[in-house]
Amino acid sequence: MEAFNIFIKSAFIDNMIFAYFLGMCSFLAVSKKVSTAVGLGAAVIFVLTITVPINWLLQEYVLKEGALTWMGADFESIDLSFLSFIMFIAIIAAMVQLVEMVIEKVSPALYGSLGIFLPLIAVNCAILGASLFMVQRDYTLVEATAYGSGSGFGWFLAIIALAAIREKLKYSNVPNGLKGLGITMILTGLMGIAFKSFIGIVL
Amino acid sequence: MSTETLEQAIVKEPSEPLFSKRRKKFITDPLNDDNPITIQVLGICSALAVTVKMQPTLVMSIAVVFVVVFSNLIISLMRNIIPGRIRIIVQLAIVATLVTLVSEFLKAYLFDMYKVLGAFVGLIITNCIVMGRLEAFAMANKAYDSVLDGLGSGFGYAWIILTVAFFRELLGSGSVFDFPVYGTIQNLTGFAIPTNGLMVDSIGAFMVLGIIIWIQRTKNGYVEH
């Protein structure tokens, strides 16, 4: 039950975009059309659901202070946590490579429409951010998985909602300087206010 | 006579002045016309979350300038020996190493700041500005030019997030660099100004940045299609 609460909380209340500004670059760049936004959102859910538990195992059994105890008493005092950035990003880059190969095989059309943004998931801060927050908050393996998939789902919701608004925005009269990035920022802020209303919900 | 001028031309060519017009552009362009945040739409992710107060924002800016300058320098020195296929991993490894250095330095000397910034220092790794400059500039240019380019992009990023932080701290907490502006006004005039909680929240950052972009683009006439 705790894991389910974490899923809901990370999707709506601690939403990656509206509460932490993570993954903004691809969020802003790929949200012009709903169809591509759905593809990228699904890829992000997948990568997050897989990498967060893998990084949890890595942190728990390799990197944390005293994590190497399973190798023998000599390794008890070793603290490799300074390596966490490099290890996490390596896992993420490997997973993104995998997703890229799978999408290319299964759905070449989607692969073509995502183009450069697919490899860019590797530098999507939402993915690395989820791994770092997971360490900070001392989740268990199940909770970490729920957290990963929940944040992925929240990111998916956010990008689809914004893409839907931006498709309509094409037909409206926006001041020249505000076109594109400016109005998108303000829209994201307004959507953020809507998401704030979830804060009152006690889980 | 003609051979003399020819020789002079050959000698003069490689010794370009340290701050020639071409090189000055590397620094000045990203400040306004080609700003990484407001025009290229990069690096917004890890930046805005730290802009509630000026001080952590300043530390974050210094960290990003350091990382982008040195990763640009290292990559441009190594550019001829990096195989094209694995360049992204090499770049990520170098950036991650530099960010680890910054993070360990903060942990050792500025622990309070480290606690405030938390995971966001680590997120400099995935800052698109750093990766973008490595891909677009350092892979194809000489070391000194790359350093200048890194400085330009770093400062272009820094002034935007410092401006955002200034308005968010002033309106949200009523202070600047933790100096209580609103409190001082109240003491001097007896006139109390309420602070705005929206600015402390993430929504404030979106709004302030949106307005900055609006003003800047209206001024330099950039229109996105």
Side-chain angles (χ1 to χ4, degrees):
Chain A
M1 220 36 220
E2 182 60 28
F4 183 70
N5 282 350
I6 287 179
F7 180 89
I8 298 290
K9 203 168 174 236
S10 54
F12 295 102
I13 301 168
D14 287 345
N15 187 290
M16 278 287 171
I17 299 280
F18 302 124
Y20 295 113
F21 312 91
L22 297 181
M24 290 294 294
C25 303
S26 31
F27 176 75
L28 295 171
V30 188
S31 58
K32 288 191 183 114
K33 265 175 68 190
V34 175
S35 54
T36 38
V38 170
L40 189 75
V44 167
I45 294 184
F46 180 76
V47 174
L48 265 173
T49 317
I50 299 218
T51 52
V52 173
I54 294 183
N55 283 339
W56 187 88
L57 292 171
L58 199 67
Q59 170 76 14
E60 192 70 15
Y61 294 109
V62 182
L63 299 172
K64 213 162 86 175
E65 194 178 354
L68 285 170
T69 322
W70 56 271
M71 283 177 70
D74 296 347
F75 295 93
E76 245 170 33
S77 58
I78 293 181
D79 178 9
L80 291 176
S81 53
F82 68 93
L83 282 177
S84 57
F85 295 157
I86 298 178
M87 299 299 280
F88 287 176
I89 202 77
I91 296 280
I92 291 167
M95 278 303 141
V96 170
Q97 193 82 61
L98 199 73
V99 171
E100 198 182 349
M101 289 188 308
V102 169
I103 293 186
E104 196 179 4
K105 262 266 184 302
V106 177
S107 163
L110 180 62
Y111 182 80
S113 67
L114 284 178
I116 175 76
F117 291 105
L118 203 51
L120 279 185
I121 299 179
V123 284
N124 185 326
C125 358
I127 315 260
L128 183 64
S131 289
L132 295 176
F133 284 139
M134 167 272 294
V135 172
Q136 239 177 23
R137 293 175 191 172
D138 283 329
Y139 284 148
T140 63
L141 181 57
V142 180
E143 286 171 351
T145 317
Y147 178 67
S149 50
S151 346
F153 182 65
W155 201 88
F156 178 82
L157 273 185
I159 193 169
I160 289 180
L162 185 69
I165 297 176
R166 282 181 81 174
E167 274 195 3
K168 294 278 174 232
L169 209 61
K170 257 183 263 166
Y171 309 106
S172 44
N173 231 341
V174 180
N176 264 343
L178 207 52
K179 257 182 201 156
L181 183 62
I183 191 73
T184 312
M185 272 291 154
I186 290 176
L187 272 175
T188 316
L190 292 174
M191 283 162 69
I193 296 179
F195 267 73
K196 282 286 138 178
S197 59
F198 289 118
I199 283 182
I201 297 169
V202 182
L203 285 172
Chain B
M1 191 63 188
S2 64
T3 49
E4 225 177 68
T5 47
L6 192 68
E7 262 174 14
Q8 254 181 355
I10 292 166
V11 174
K12 270 212 163 160
E13 208 235 339
S15 64
E16 193 183 344
L18 273 182
F19 287 105
S20 64
K21 224 177 193 173
R22 186 177 71 90
R23 285 177 165 156
K24 246 186 218 151
K25 268 179 90 74
F26 292 147
I27 296 206
T28 52
D29 261 10
L31 292 184
N32 186 14
D33 291 340
D34 199 19
N35 190 284
I37 294 186
T38 58
I39 307 289
Q40 298 174 25
V41 201
L42 295 175
I44 299 166
C45 344
S46 53
L48 288 178
V50 298
T51 53
V52 178
K53 288 268 171 77
M54 292 283 285
Q55 217 171 358
T57 311
L58 188 65
V59 174
M60 188 72 176
S61 311
I62 295 170
V64 170
V65 171
F66 170 83
V67 172
V68 73
V69 166
F70 281 91
S71 58
N72 250 3
L73 173 67
I74 295 170
I75 288 288
S76 101
L77 289 174
M78 287 171 61
R79 71 183 190 281
N80 294 324
I81 54 166
I82 301 175
R85 294 204 63 133
I86 58 160
R87 64 180 199 288
I88 302 268
I89 298 172
V90 175
Q91 288 163 3
L92 273 179
I94 287 170
V95 175
T97 313
L98 285 167
V99 172
T100 309
L101 272 178
V102 171
S103 153
E104 295 292 308
F105 177 86
L106 287 180
K107 216 190 273 180
Y109 295 104
L110 293 164
F111 193 65
D112 291 339
M113 215 22 96
Y114 179 79
K115 278 191 291 189
V116 174
L117 291 173
F120 293 103
V121 178
L123 289 175
I124 299 176
I125 299 174
T126 51
N127 190 317
C128 337
I129 295 178
V130 180
M131 284 298 283
R133 287 337 287 169
L134 293 182
E135 271 290 280
F137 199 89
M139 286 299 285
N141 283 283
K142 289 210 176 96
Y144 179 64
D145 289 354
S146 302
V147 168
L148 290 183
D149 179 71
L151 277 176
S153 295
F155 288 142
Y157 165 89
W159 86 259
I160 295 282
I161 67 167
L162 280 168
T163 315
V164 174
F166 174 78
F167 286 111
R168 282 184 78 190
E169 188 178 350
L170 183 68
L171 302 174
S173 315
S175 58
V176 173
F177 274 112
D178 281 336
F179 173 77
V181 177
Y182 285 11
T184 315
I185 291 175
Q186 193 182 352
N187 283 344
L188 289 177
T189 62
F191 177 63
I193 313 168
T195 53
N196 186 343
L198 195 67
M199 285 294 159
V200 182
D201 206 281
S202 53
I203 297 155
F206 287 123
M207 298 290 177
V208 172
L209 187 61
I211 292 166
I212 290 177
I213 290 167
W214 190 4
I215 295 170
Q216 197 196 11
R217 287 188 176 182
T218 311
K219 271 193 133 176
N220 64 16
Y222 178 90
V223 179
E224 199 175 312
H225 292 290

